[in-house]
């Protein structure tokens, strides 16, 4: 090695080094997860009739109990009008019967009429009062049916689907809108050969931007692994803090653990790139040498080195500056 090279390496001879030793590294498998709402509940019509008002559309955020639409059944108006007419007639008959009863009580006190006639008048008043109460109850039923024409949000959340339009004729139980509430989670469906490697609490890493969010990548954890395998795939739910509900059923690329292997890991600061090649400074008896390497996956504690280094090598934690010799 020339004197010029030795002078350039004098400054790195005392730099901090790391002796490489194999360590367990988690193998990650890239799969697609699907953003799903925890609660997906349809807002259904309780009354059959014509949809005359629709106040929401896809993507709107609603609160629990908020009116979403209004359905009108014209027959109910006619039924209510008929009951109100009957109620007015019964009230007139009741007023007349009560007058007759009051007159009969006066005559009975004078001994002009009989007790049997007085009892008949009282019975007639009781019958009319019962009939009037029944009509009022029937009117309340019709009024309640009209009130059920208002379709309310069963949960608070985002409107995912509105399959109807204003003016449509709906049957009782038909869905007016589908709501997603209770937050969101990722659902994974991976090949069953990876079923044994999925454990509740395992970390899951999301690659790229989350659906509906500008956040670049995130970490979640498996919260549930379903025991039923369908179509050769095992299903698992992943909790991701801050996962947006803007796009439900969106596909997101995630990485999940599928095993472990021995690997050599160096700090990211130990790698220097020159002319499109990656190098790591290695301390040798002749001095510090730049050794060409092929880096692998990046991890929180460093970068895996696929080729170029071996166990026992002493690498510089901080990559040397230009001037070191190449090996």
């Amino acid at each position: 090695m020339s004197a010029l090279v030795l002078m350039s390496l004098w400054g790195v001879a005392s730099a901090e080094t790391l002796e490489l030793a194999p360590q367990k590294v988690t193998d990650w498998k890239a799969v697609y997860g699907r953003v799903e709402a925890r609660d997906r509940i349809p807002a259904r019509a309780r009354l059959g009739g014509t949809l005359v008002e629709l106040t929401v559309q896809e993507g709107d955020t609603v609160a629990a109990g908020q009116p979403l639409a209004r359905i009108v059944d014209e027959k109910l108006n006619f039924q209510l009008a008929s009951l109100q007419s009957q109620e007015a007639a019964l009230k007139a008959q009741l007023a007349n019967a009560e007058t007759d009863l009051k007159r009969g009580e006066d005559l009975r006190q004078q001994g002009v009429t009989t007790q049997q006639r007085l009892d008949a008048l009282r019975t007639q008043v009781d019958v009319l009062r019962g009939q009037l109460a029944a009509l009022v109850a029937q009117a309340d039923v019709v009024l309640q049916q009209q009130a059920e024409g208002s379709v309310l949000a069963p949960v608070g959340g985002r409107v995912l689907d509105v399959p109807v339009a204003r003016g449509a004729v709906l049957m009782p139980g038909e869905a007016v809108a589908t709501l997603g509430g209770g937050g969101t989670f990722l659902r994974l469906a991976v090949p069953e050969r990876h079923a044994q490697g999925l454990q509740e609490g395992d970390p899951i890493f999301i690659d790229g931007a989350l659906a509906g969010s500008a956040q670049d990548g995130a970490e979640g954890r498996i919260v549930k692994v379903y025991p039923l395998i369908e179509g050769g795939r095992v299903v698992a739910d992943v909790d991701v803090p801050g996962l947006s509900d803007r796009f439900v059923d969106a596909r997101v690329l995630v990485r999940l653990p599928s095993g472990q292997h021995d690997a050599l890991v160096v700090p990211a600061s130990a790698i220097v790139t020159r002319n499109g090649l990656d190098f790591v400074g290695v301390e040798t008896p002749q001095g510090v040498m730049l050794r060409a390497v092929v880096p692998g996956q990046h991890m929180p504690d460093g970068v895996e080195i696929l080729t170029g280094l071996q166990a026992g090598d002493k690498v510089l934690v901080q990559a040397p500056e230009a001037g070191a010799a190449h090996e």
Side-chain angles (χ1 to χ4, degrees), residues 246-282:
R246 182 181 177 187
F247 296 108
V248 177
D249 281 347
R251 299 180 67 200
V252 179
L253 184 63
V254 302
R255 292 183 294 124
L256 70 156
S258 61
Q260 289 185 330
H261 68 278
D262 292 331
L264 300 177
V265 180
V266 301
S269 60
I271 300 177
V272 61
T273 302
R274 297 179 183 174
N275 299 326
L277 299 177
D278 295 313
F279 297 90
V280 172
V282 180

Side-chain angles (χ1 to χ4, degrees), residues 76-92 132 135-136 138-140 142-143 146:
L76 296 180
N77 294 329
F78 297 120
Q79 292 180 16
L80 186 60
S82 174
L83 292 174
Q84 289 173 348
S85 298
Q86 295 179 50
E87 181 181 357
L90 280 176
K91 284 182 177 180
L132 183 60
L135 280 177
V136 172
Q138 292 180 27
D140 290 340
V142 176
L143 290 174
Q146 288 182 329

Side-chain angles (χ1 to χ4, degrees), residues 86-122:
Q86 295 179 50
E87 181 181 357
L90 280 176
K91 284 182 177 180
Q93 294 179 26
L94 178 61
N96 186 47
E98 288 176 342
T99 301
D100 291 342
L101 177 60
K102 181 66 173 60
R103 186 182 299 110
E105 290 175 345
D106 294 340
L107 294 175
R108 179 65 181 130
Q109 291 179 356
Q110 299 174 9
V112 176
T113 187
T114 63
Q115 183 65 36
Q116 181 179 5
R117 173 60 180 169
L118 183 61
D119 292 341
L121 292 175
R122 287 176 178 171

Side-chain angles (χ1 to χ4, degrees), residues 27-31 188 190 194 198 203-205 254-258:
D27 295 325
W28 298 92
K29 177 177 177 59
V31 298
L188 308 179
V190 300
H194 301 294
L198 294 179
I204 298 294
F205 294 94
V254 302
R255 292 183 294 124
L256 70 156
S258 61

